[in-house]
Amino acid sequence: MDQILDQAKLVFVYAIPAFLLLMAVEYYGYRREKRESSGEQPQRRATKGVSARDTACNVSTYLIRLVVGPLEKFIELPFVVIAAAFAPVTLPANQWWTWGLALLLADLAYYVKHRMSHRIRMFWAEHSVHHSSQYFNLSTALRLPWLIPGSFLKSVVSIPMALIGIPVWVIFLCQAIVLLYQFPIHTERIDKLPKAIEYVFNTPSHHRVHHGANNPYLDKNYGGILIIWDRLFGSYADEVEAVRYGLTKNIQTDNPIKVNYHEFALMVRDVWRATSWRGRIGYLLRPPGWQETPAQPDPAPVPVTA
C-alpha cells in the first residue's frame, strides 16, 4: 500500500520543476504584455491574465496538498484494494493493451467523478476550491483541495476498474496521468486547436468553458483527457463568448485556508439550519444552490355557499 502511495505522489513531486518553469514563463509573458500594451490594438480574444496574490494562493494550496495529500489517498486506497481482491483475474501490467484499457477507463472514471463533483453538494464543497479563482492560468491548475471530509467517497468510481482485474498501482498511476494532462490546458495563451483535436481531446478552449461561471458554460465539459465523454453524455459546450471565471458567488479572499474550507463551512451551516431530515440530506446530496422549502400549510377550506 505504501508503495502505491509513493508512486502516485512521486509523479507530482517530479513534475513540480516543470510546473514552476512553465508558470514563470507564462507570468512573465503576461506582465511584459501589460507593460507594452498601452497604445496597441487589443488582443483578438480578451484575457484575464494573472494576479500575484492569486498565484501565491494557488501555489500555497498545492504545497499544502502535497504534504497532507497522502492521508487522503490512504483513506481512498482500501476501497480499491478490497475490490481488487474480488477480481476473478489480474490483467498483466506488462501488456500495452492493459495500459490502454486502464487509461481509457481512468479517463471515463474521472469524467463520472468530475460530474459528481459539480452535481452533488457534498463533493462540490471540495471541488469548488479549484473553481474559486477568478483567473485562468497555469497556476490555477494547482488550486486543488485537501482534507475535505467526505470527499474520499468519490473513490467508488475506481472500483469497477479493480473488479475487472486492473492492478491497483496501474489504476492510481493512470489517474495521475489524467490529472497531469490537465495542467497545460489551464491557459488563455492557446486559442482553439485544429478541429480534429478539438473534437476528441480536452483542450484549453474546452477547459476555459468548464471554468466559466456564466451561461451557457455552467456545468459543462467535465472531461479529463478526452472530450468525447461530454459529447456522448450531453454535457458539452463550445467556447462561443467571453468566459467569466470563478464561482456564481465569488469569495473575496486569497487565504488558502479560507479558500479550501469556504464552501464546506457554508454547507455545514446549511445542514445545521435545516428544519427537516429532507433538508439536511438535500444540502448534502442535492446540487449546489438547492434550497430547502418548508412545508406549506394546507389551504383553508373554501366555504360552500348555496
Side-chain angles (χ1 to χ4, degrees):
M1 183 178 293
D2 291 339
Q3 184 179 6
I4 296 172
L5 292 175
D6 290 341
Q7 288 173 337
K9 183 179 179 181
L10 283 175
V11 171
F12 290 95
V13 171
Y14 287 138
I16 290 177
F19 289 170
L20 294 177
L21 176 61
L22 291 172
M23 286 190 300
V25 171
E26 181 188 51
Y27 190 90
Y28 173 77
Y30 275 124
R31 289 303 186 185
R32 182 177 179 180
E33 287 179 0
K34 186 175 181 180
R35 291 194 301 267
E36 298 174 352
S37 62
S38 57
E40 295 182 357
Q41 293 183 351
Q43 296 178 344
R44 184 162 61 90
R45 177 173 52 79
T47 60
K48 191 73 183 288
V50 296
S51 158
R53 291 177 62 88
D54 181 79
T55 299
C57 176
N58 296 340
V59 173
S60 299
T61 303
Y62 182 71
L63 293 177
I64 296 173
R65 179 183 173 90
L66 277 182
V67 175
V68 302
L71 178 58
E72 291 184 336
K73 287 299 180 184
F74 186 79
I75 298 173
E76 293 178 11
L77 192 57
F79 289 90
V80 185
V81 171
I82 293 172
F86 290 93
V89 296
T90 300
L91 301 183
N94 60 350
Q95 296 294 320
W96 69 266
W97 55 266
T98 298
W99 284 93
L101 177 64
L103 189 58
L104 182 68
L105 293 180
D107 198 53
L108 176 58
Y110 176 84
Y111 172 87
V112 174
K113 181 168 67 173
H114 200 179
R115 191 161 184 167
M116 289 165 57
S117 297
H118 279 254
R119 304 306 300 158
I120 298 175
R121 177 84 181 277
M122 180 172 63
F123 299 146
W124 173 246
E126 176 198 41
H127 189 60
S128 64
V129 177
H130 183 61
H131 282 264
S132 60
S133 173
Q134 297 178 55
Y135 294 84
F136 188 78
N137 51 63
L138 293 176
S139 76
T140 310
L142 304 184
R143 195 181 182 106
L144 298 172
W146 35 271
L147 295 186
I148 303 293
S151 60
F152 69 92
L153 293 172
K154 290 185 295 183
S155 62
V156 297
V157 301
S158 300
I159 289 178
M161 297 177 64
L163 289 175
I164 66 172
I166 298 176
V168 175
W169 70 273
V170 174
I171 293 174
F172 279 87
L173 190 55
C174 286
Q175 289 176 344
I177 293 171
V178 172
L179 291 177
L180 280 175
Y181 173 90
Q182 295 174 69
F183 174 78
I185 65 175
H186 284 81
T187 183
E188 296 180 287
R189 309 293 290 184
I190 301 174
D191 210 335
K192 291 192 176 183
L193 298 173
K195 289 185 179 180
I197 296 176
E198 292 282 340
Y199 191 83
V200 176
F201 294 99
N202 196 8
T203 66
S205 176
H206 295 326
H207 209 57
R208 286 192 291 270
V209 166
H210 178 69
H211 275 256
N214 52 311
N215 279 319
Y217 299 152
L218 280 175
D219 298 328
K220 300 294 183 181
N221 296 1
Y222 299 113
I225 296 176
L226 301 175
I227 202 66
I228 56 174
W229 309 122
D230 292 282
R231 297 184 187 276
L232 286 172
F233 301 124
S235 54
Y236 174 77
D238 197 15
E239 186 180 22
V240 295
E241 61 183 55
V243 182
R244 178 174 64 82
Y245 303 113
L247 306 172
T248 54
K249 295 181 180 179
N250 285 309
I251 57 176
Q252 305 302 328
T253 180
D254 292 307
N255 182 317
I257 308 298
K258 292 181 179 179
V259 164
N260 193 69
Y261 286 108
H262 176 82
E263 177 61 27
F264 179 77
L266 292 180
M267 182 188 71
V268 171
R269 182 202 64 183
D270 289 341
V271 171
W272 180 262
R273 293 180 178 178
T275 59
S276 65
W277 279 106
R278 173 184 172 275
R280 297 182 187 100
I281 295 173
Y283 282 125
L284 291 174
L285 302 182
R286 293 277 189 164
W290 180 86
Q291 294 290 324
E292 178 186 26
T293 53
Q296 299 296 322
D298 294 334
V302 177
V304 178
T305 57

